[in-house]
Amino acid sequence: MEQHCPSFRKELVNKLLYLHFKDDKCKVSPDALQLMVEMLKIFVQEAASRAIRQAQAEDQDKVDIEQFEKVLPQLCGSCC
């Protein structure tokens, strides 16, 4: 099975962060931006891994949105 690591452009992550800032004076340091890129990468990898395990537990041959919906609360439970 071919593995592909997700990659997120810093510009995209930066724009997403600024969309949620309430204060226009907020700034993101380059180190903080790099950390957010890495955290997003790890989050997506973990979500995919858990969805795969969920599909296997359900004897499914492929991962569908239903498996992601089932594991997402586990991932967001501590942060949302």
Side-chain angles (χ1 to χ4, degrees), residues 19-77:
L19 283 174
H20 293 285
F21 288 161
K22 296 189 186 326
D23 186 354
D24 292 337
K25 296 177 184 177
C26 286
K27 302 291 180 200
V28 178
S29 73
D31 287 342
L33 181 58
Q34 183 61 39
L35 179 62
M36 289 303 300
V37 168
E38 289 299 314
M39 288 177 57
L40 187 56
K41 176 182 168 183
I42 292 167
F43 182 86
V44 170
Q45 288 174 330
E46 185 64 23
S49 177
R50 290 185 187 202
I52 290 168
R53 287 194 301 263
Q54 181 68 35
Q56 291 170 340
E58 297 173 3
D59 293 325
Q60 299 293 319
D61 293 332
K62 65 178 186 173
V63 177
D64 205 345
I65 190 68
E66 285 83 19
Q67 284 82 31
F68 276 103
E69 289 172 345
K70 289 177 182 175
V71 301
L72 199 56
Q74 300 168 3
L75 291 167
C76 291

Side-chain angles (χ1 to χ4, degrees), residues 9-20:
R9 292 190 338 252
K10 287 182 182 179
E11 298 82 18
L12 173 63
V13 175
N14 195 42
K15 284 185 180 187
L16 290 172
L17 287 171
Y18 278 98
L19 283 174
H20 293 285

